[in-house]
Amino acid sequence: MLRRVIFAMGLGGLCTLVAACDGPFTKGGHTSTVNPTASEAPSAGVAPETNIDIGEPLYTRTEWAPASDQERIAAEPVVIPLANLSLTQRQEVSAQTDGFIKFVGRELQSGEADPINPDDLYVHERTKKKFVRLKEGDPVNKNSVLVLLDDRQASAEYEALVAAHIAALKDVDAGGEMVKFARNLLTIQEELIRTKATPKTELYNAQATEIKYIAELDSKKALVTKAKADMDKANVRLQMHEVRSEINGRVDRILRHRGFSVKATEPIMHLLNLDELRVEGYVPLENVGRLKVGMPALIEPTIVEAPTVSNIDHRQAITSMAYTIRQGEPMILTASEDRTVNVWNSKKLLGTWTLPVPVRSVACTPPTVDNALALTGSDDGKGRLWNLVELAATPVRELKGTHRGPIQCTAFSPDGSTCITADDRDIFLWDVNTGEKLYTFPNGHRGPITDARFIPQGRLVSAGRDNALIVWELGKKAARIERIIDHRAGEVGQLGVSSDGNRVLFDQGKSQMHIVNLADGQTDDVITNVLEQAKFTTTALFSPDDRLVLTASSAEGILQLWRTPTKPGERIPELRRLICPGYSPVSCAMFVPFRDTSLVVVGTQTGHLHIWPAPTKAESDQRFVGEVTFIDGAVDTGGRQLRVWAKLNNTGPFRLRPGTTATMVMIPPLTRDSK
């Protein structure tokens, strides 16, 4: 979605309204509060205290990235969810005559080596051509031989008729010679008649002989035509013993094999051409006028994946997860209501820490920090630091202070020297080396705090059940509120921040996730969920390289991966739909860098740990673009929708599967006469 779009017709009135007002104002759909003065805990849009001396920055800061200056009005796309992908070409390969299957295979091409298994090779008795056995999934070309029937009888009949045709041709040649002789004899008799050297009866005999031989020649020619027709029919019958493909495609199923007898029209195998698909969906009647045949159609396939790894990690719900990288390998920590924290690497369980109460949160020092520590927050309000190198069963130290309630979230600063813990209302900053509390954040949230994250700009971003997101400026003496972004839907407790700290995910409504610029609180882009009867919940995260976003759906056990936009206003498609076995509800999730890609690690309410490999860059960058080929002229029986078809070339490195669904997106021009 484009940011900061101002329609010219309302600009004058809007400017007048802003000039007349003094106080908080709304930008990009969110309340942005800057330089407020009130000292008590703020509600959404109410000004908190900012005249606090925070001292020097808590750690080395980076600057905010400059906002994009691309401002334009874009046409609203026409989105068709749950469009069906189907084949445009398929063939049921059937026998054309009764027969006995000698071999199911294709002809061995010139230069192609014989198969290793001799049972996979067949040499035709008559043609001496070599054939290799066909298997399901093998590609085939149009007009190639697929099945050989026993053609010995048909071949013998054809050869006999070829011989008969040759004999008939020879008879015609002989008949032609006889006609020549008869004509020569007639010429001689006519000359003798002129000289009166022979009676006329001889002339008549010569004429009759010529007529006879001409008639016989015509009869022989007719016999040649019949012999040719008989030979051609026999050849057709012979060719029917070679069953051929009518399309390019792949073998889907082989129904009859070598040694089977078949009747005419009986199917032997099925072929599918996956190179071109039809995408069919229904468009609302009011959008039909914005579509036209020939326009591009973006196809966003619904690719469903099960996890590659699943473990029963805890006896009760997994409440939090964290990771760090040690010696080039990821180390994954999972915390649970069963009072334990498990530590894993990519191969095995390394250790388990047992606490006296349920654990609500866990965090790790960044991989760039030498001192590898973990921080746990539990129901007794205590924060505990653990050594990730020694993995001792007892903590290195407890933080010297206690929250009034359960610790809901924990985090380390980028340099690993400080950490925070947060309960329902309070956020504490701690010195990691001593365990001393440095300070308490001023009042901010009016509801339980669900997430808190340090960012490179020297800020902390926190989210709470008060449906607000707060950006805190951090110093060595204190913290102060820099910005409140409110009017969240509040269903997503875990809101991710991009690796550069410039963008945050913000749940705006049940089916929209905004990507908000933290520098000014405005919306850069919007993720729209087309999943039926579902809304965003629990978690929303950026991948380590910021090219993906992971969200959880209210449909139990379903997560979605999205491709982040590379430029403002670019549509954000769903790349994958991750399904937890048994549709167990998601409780937390994270991305873990792993070699050249990332892993999606998910914890569930049932204590299971599930892992998926994230799509590679090549996979996530793949675009499927079709072309609208048909717009139905008749409205369906409901009276509100029309069918729309698009054709899609499916020959790329990542092929879509017929029978699945996709979202079809058309972006019409702004005006009907636009090019």
Side-chain angles (χ1 to χ4, degrees):
M1 176 166 288
L2 299 177
R3 47 201 309 263
R4 286 169 278 190
V5 176
I6 301 176
F7 289 95
M9 63 182 298
L11 183 58
L14 180 60
C15 292
T16 302
L17 178 62
V18 171
C21 297
D22 183 17
F25 58 93
T26 299
K27 294 199 278 186
H30 313 292
T31 300
S32 175
T33 309
V34 185
N35 297 325
T37 58
S39 60
E40 63 182 15
S43 62
V46 177
E49 185 177 359
T50 60
N51 55 353
I52 299 174
D53 179 15
I54 65 172
E56 296 180 1
L58 184 63
Y59 51 86
T60 303
R61 300 179 177 181
T62 62
E63 297 298 323
W64 297 109
S68 171
D69 58 359
Q70 297 190 36
E71 299 185 7
R72 65 187 187 275
I73 300 174
E76 185 71 17
V78 177
V79 180
I80 303 177
L82 298 176
N84 294 308
L85 276 63
S86 60
L87 295 170
T88 59
Q89 284 188 325
R90 66 173 71 220
Q91 180 188 354
E92 184 179 77
V93 180
S94 302
Q96 296 177 289
T97 185
D98 297 352
F100 180 81
I101 297 177
K102 294 286 287 185
F103 197 69
V104 177
R106 60 172 179 82
E107 186 175 349
L108 199 68
Q109 301 300 311
S110 176
E112 186 178 359
D114 290 355
I116 298 176
N117 188 347
D119 291 338
D120 291 338
L121 182 68
Y122 176 77
V123 180
H124 197 282
E125 298 174 1
R126 176 172 53 86
T127 64
K128 306 305 178 185
K129 292 180 179 179
K130 293 182 177 181
F131 291 83
V132 61
R133 185 185 303 279
L134 273 177
K135 302 179 180 65
E136 279 88 353
D138 286 352
V140 296
N141 296 321
K142 185 177 181 178
N143 202 39
S144 59
V145 176
L146 305 179
V147 182
L148 296 171
L149 301 181
D150 187 351
D151 62 357
R152 288 175 295 177
Q153 181 177 347
S155 176
E157 292 174 355
Y158 172 69
E159 290 173 359
L161 290 172
V162 168
H165 180 249
I166 294 173
L169 289 174
K170 290 181 178 179
D171 273 353
V172 169
D173 292 341
E177 292 298 320
M178 293 302 295
V179 169
K180 290 180 182 179
F181 291 143
R183 286 176 177 170
N184 291 336
L185 180 60
L186 178 59
T187 301
I188 293 172
Q189 291 297 328
E190 288 174 343
E191 184 63 28
L192 292 174
I193 287 295
R194 282 195 296 272
T195 60
K196 298 182 179 180
T198 185
K200 285 187 176 183
T201 56
E202 294 297 328
L203 177 62
Y204 296 153
N205 287 335
Q207 291 174 336
T209 301
E210 181 190 30
I211 294 170
K212 174 184 175 184
Y213 286 140
I214 290 175
E216 289 180 354
L217 180 59
D218 290 342
S219 178
K220 290 177 180 180
K221 288 180 178 180
L223 291 175
V224 167
T225 301
K226 182 178 183 303
K228 175 74 165 55
D230 291 341
M231 181 186 67
D232 289 343
K233 287 192 292 183
N235 187 42
V236 169
R237 288 193 296 270
L238 179 60
Q239 296 302 320
M240 289 168 68
H241 289 73
E242 293 182 348
V243 184
R244 295 177 177 268
S245 169
E246 297 177 0
I247 63 171
N248 295 317
R250 292 183 178 273
V251 178
D252 180 47
R253 292 180 60 196
I254 298 177
L255 307 176
R256 299 288 186 273
H257 295 271
R258 186 175 188 173
F260 281 67
S261 61
V262 290
K263 298 288 185 181
T265 72
E266 188 173 358
I268 300 174
M269 70 174 64
H270 293 161
L271 302 181
L272 304 178
N273 185 351
L274 303 177
D275 293 344
E276 182 177 288
L277 298 178
R278 173 186 295 160
V279 188
E280 179 178 350
Y282 287 85
V283 63
L285 186 59
E286 59 269 23
N287 283 327
V288 172
R290 305 176 61 210
L291 306 181
K292 62 180 180 180
V293 172
M295 72 186 307
L298 304 178
I299 310 302
E300 301 171 1
T302 304
I303 301 177
V304 180
E305 289 186 353
T308 56
V309 176
S310 291
N311 286 325
I312 301 177
D313 192 32
H314 292 276
R315 295 190 305 275
Q316 291 179 266
I318 297 175
T319 55
S320 180
M321 295 188 296
Y323 80 91
T324 190
I325 305 295
R326 306 306 300 175
Q327 299 179 344
E329 286 290 317
M331 183 178 288
I332 297 173
L333 282 70
T334 60
S336 172
E337 291 179 353
D338 66 5
R339 305 180 182 184
T340 63
V341 175
N342 286 337
V343 184
W344 299 80
N345 64 12
S346 60
K347 299 177 182 178
K348 62 180 180 179
L349 178 67
L350 300 177
T352 298
W353 301 326
T354 301
L355 285 83
V357 292
V359 187
R360 296 296 169 188
S361 182
V362 64
C364 294
T365 50
T368 55
V369 176
D370 292 334
N371 192 16
L373 297 174
L375 171 62
T376 58
S378 50
D379 278 1
D380 58 5
K382 294 182 179 181
R384 296 171 174 87
L385 290 168
W386 307 77
N387 191 308
L388 285 173
V389 177
E390 298 175 359
L391 294 177
T394 57
V396 175
R397 68 180 61 88
E398 288 187 0
L399 300 179
K400 298 175 182 180
T402 304
H403 283 269
R404 289 175 292 179
I407 295 176
Q408 302 294 344
C409 48
T410 55
F412 282 96
S413 61
D415 61 5
S417 64
T418 58
C419 63
I420 64 98
T421 57
D423 58 21
D424 282 353
R425 297 293 176 87
D426 296 325
I427 304 176
F428 297 162
L429 181 73
W430 308 85
D431 185 300
V432 170
N433 292 324
T434 64
E436 297 287 344
K437 184 167 70 171
L438 299 178
Y439 56 76
T440 301
F441 283 48
N443 292 333
H445 288 284
R446 296 179 65 88
I449 299 168
T450 60
D451 197 20
R453 297 169 186 268
F454 288 93
I455 61 175
Q457 287 79 3
R459 273 80 170 171
L460 183 84
V461 179
S462 62
R465 294 295 181 192
D466 56 355
N467 297 348
L469 186 144
I470 299 179
V471 181
W472 304 84
E473 187 178 6
L474 305 177
K476 292 186 177 180
K477 293 182 179 180
R480 64 184 172 210
I481 295 176
E482 182 177 55
R483 181 179 304 281
I484 297 177
I485 310 175
D486 57 8
H487 301 305
R488 289 177 50 226
E491 297 293 334
V492 182
Q494 188 182 19
L495 288 170
V497 181
S498 60
S499 61
D500 60 8
N502 288 300
R503 298 174 296 166
V504 66
L505 295 167
F506 188 94
D507 50 329
Q508 178 80 21
K510 295 181 179 179
S511 61
Q512 287 192 341
M513 183 69 64
H514 286 213
I515 300 178
V516 173
N517 190 305
L518 281 173
D520 58 14
Q522 296 196 41
T523 296
D524 284 344
D525 294 281
V526 176
I527 301 172
T528 302
N529 199 347
V530 299
L531 186 60
E532 284 191 338
Q533 299 176 340
K535 59 184 177 182
F536 292 117
T537 186
T538 307
T539 186
L541 303 168
F542 285 97
S543 63
D545 57 6
D546 296 333
R547 64 183 176 84
L548 302 173
V549 168
L550 174 70
T551 62
S553 167
S554 60
E556 291 187 349
I558 297 179
L559 300 101
Q560 295 165 277
L561 278 173
W562 310 82
R563 181 178 64 230
T564 55
T566 57
K567 58 184 179 181
E570 185 179 48
R571 178 171 170 80
I572 304 176
E574 181 188 5
L575 298 178
R576 297 289 188 275
R577 195 168 293 177
L578 311 180
I579 310 297
C580 295
Y583 293 93
S584 51
V586 175
S587 56
C588 53
M590 66 179 177
F591 283 98
V592 177
F594 184 70
R595 297 172 185 170
D596 296 332
T597 182
S598 296
L599 301 176
V600 177
V601 183
V602 174
T604 69
Q605 295 284 355
T606 59
H608 287 79
L609 183 71
H610 304 302
I611 300 177
W612 290 261
T616 64
K617 188 176 187 305
E619 291 173 332
S620 62
D621 288 346
Q622 174 75 21
R623 264 74 167 177
F624 298 95
V625 182
E627 178 184 330
V628 176
T629 56
F630 172 76
I631 301 173
D632 202 346
V635 181
D636 70 351
T637 54
R640 293 295 303 161
Q641 294 181 319
L642 286 86
R643 282 187 306 158
V644 175
W645 291 353
K647 67 177 180 180
L648 175 66
N649 186 307
N650 196 36
T651 57
F654 307 107
R655 294 164 71 99
L656 303 184
R657 297 179 182 274
T660 58
T661 61
T663 299
M664 184 161 42
V665 181
M666 283 76 68
I667 304 178
L670 280 172
T671 57
R672 296 197 181 191
D673 57 349
S674 296
K675 300 295 183 184

